[in-house]
Amino acid sequence: MSAVNNTKFNSAVFLLTGIPGLQEVHLWISIPFCLVYVISIVGNSVILFIIKTDPSLHEPRYIFLSMLAITDLSLSITTMPTILGIYLFNSMEISLNACFAQLFFIHFLAKIESSVLLLMALDRFIAICNPLRYTSILTLPRIAKMGFVSLVRGVALALPFPILLKRHRYCQANVLSHSYCLHQDIMNLACSDITINTIYGMFTTVFTLGFDLLLIFLSYVIILKTVLSIASHAERLRALNTCVSHLCAVLLFYTPNIGLAVIHRFWNSSSHLLKILLGYVYLQLPPLMNPIVYSVKSKHLRARIIRAFVK
């Protein structure tokens, strides 16, 4: 057994993984990742700047959008440095403490994003099903309380991940499956019993992804029932059109998230390349596409962005 594998967690290192078999073209692979990083940072920063500086956008739906942009921005900043470090500088080593810190922020931000998407579904539900009470229900103090509860839930669910992992020694091969650190990836490298880690990981997945997605689905069932009761066809389309961007954000986040969780839990022997690619989609696609989708689908926001850049 190697010295590294025998070392306790405070001095051991993990090896991050790029795309296998393509080491010779890592520099070329870094180009699209750099573009994704820049577009994600700029896109979400523009959304935040426009919403902050334009008083006409200080309404609930855009406040929730700014929460989503902050989360996506943080997710890009948390994950992309290690990805670019692999492809630009061939830097694959990461210490356990740095790895645990990164996985905490990744899981914490994922819980926050799930909460924000649920709050955005609540916003659409109230706007369509109870429009006369929209502003009286979604007041600024109430929105602030919702954001605080989401923050507390994210910390409470993500903090046990590094704490549980620090209990283990890592005496197996220290090569991770991704270019960043995930709880379900690291726990498989431990040489002690990981039953508690497995149970807690499944609990948080069900409690956040499953519970939030179920509530989002139920809200859209009621929204659809309400929209279909509207007599005017044009009004139906207008109401449904306000939900399109949120539905795209939900699909962009939950589809790869659930797929990656299923692969790690049940099909761990599946294609390693598929796991790597799905991992990139899971963390890089939402921060890239959400600003684009909302800028295209929201006429009000699009007009403000165009006006800002034309000036």
Side-chain angles (χ1 to χ4, degrees), residues 137-173:
I137 294 175
L138 293 178
T139 60
L140 287 179
R142 191 164 290 165
I143 292 173
K145 290 177 182 177
M146 291 176 180
F148 179 73
V149 170
S150 300
L151 192 69
V152 171
R153 187 183 80 154
V155 172
L157 290 174
L159 190 59
F161 284 132
I163 294 175
L164 290 173
L165 289 172
K166 282 192 173 185
R167 299 168 54 249
H168 301 297
R169 291 169 59 92
Y170 298 91
C171 54
Q172 300 183 29

Side-chain angles (χ1 to χ4, degrees), residues 81-266:
T82 54
I83 297 174
L84 293 179
I86 292 173
Y87 294 110
L88 286 175
F89 309 109
N90 199 32
S91 176
M92 296 186 176
E93 288 191 358
I94 183 171
S95 68
L96 247 66
N97 286 331
C99 196
F100 290 159
Q102 186 185 49
L103 78 87
F104 165 76
F105 282 107
I106 288 175
H107 289 285
F108 163 68
L109 293 168
K111 311 306 180 196
I112 294 293
E113 180 135 358
S114 182
S115 298
V116 173
L117 290 173
L118 177 58
L119 293 178
M120 296 174 86
L122 175 65
D123 169 79
R124 291 299 85 207
F125 171 79
I126 297 173
I128 294 174
C129 300
N130 201 354
L132 297 180
R133 297 188 59 201
Y134 178 74
T135 54
S136 63
I137 294 175
L138 293 178
T139 60
L140 287 179
R142 191 164 290 165
I143 292 173
K145 290 177 182 177
M146 291 176 180
F148 179 73
V149 170
S150 300
L151 192 69
V152 171
R153 187 183 80 154
V155 172
L157 290 174
L159 190 59
F161 284 132
I163 294 175
L164 290 173
L165 289 172
K166 282 192 173 185
R167 299 168 54 249
H168 301 297
R169 291 169 59 92
Y170 298 91
C171 54
Q172 300 183 29
N174 59 343
V175 181
L176 299 176
S177 302
H178 301 285
S179 303
Y180 45 82
C181 299
L182 291 176
H183 170 258
Q184 57 265 41
D185 198 14
I186 296 175
M187 71 177 186
N188 291 326
L189 303 182
C191 57
S192 51
D193 184 25
I194 59 171
T195 302
I196 296 178
N197 296 73
T198 303
I199 294 173
Y200 184 73
M202 292 181 67
F203 164 75
T204 57
T205 300
V206 171
F207 187 70
T208 53
L209 296 184
F211 182 70
D212 293 354
L213 194 55
L214 176 62
L215 291 180
I216 292 172
F217 173 76
L218 292 176
S219 69
Y220 271 103
V221 169
I222 302 174
I223 287 172
L224 186 60
K225 183 179 178 180
T226 303
V227 169
L228 291 177
S229 66
I230 300 174
S232 171
H233 180 68
E235 290 294 328
R236 291 180 192 175
L237 292 178
R238 186 187 306 174
L240 290 175
N241 190 54
T242 63
C243 301
V244 171
S245 52
H246 177 253
L247 285 172
C248 290
V250 168
L251 290 174
L252 286 171
F253 176 74
Y254 285 103
T255 304
N257 201 326
I258 293 174
L260 191 63
V262 169
I263 287 177
H264 273 288
R265 300 296 181 192
F266 304 109

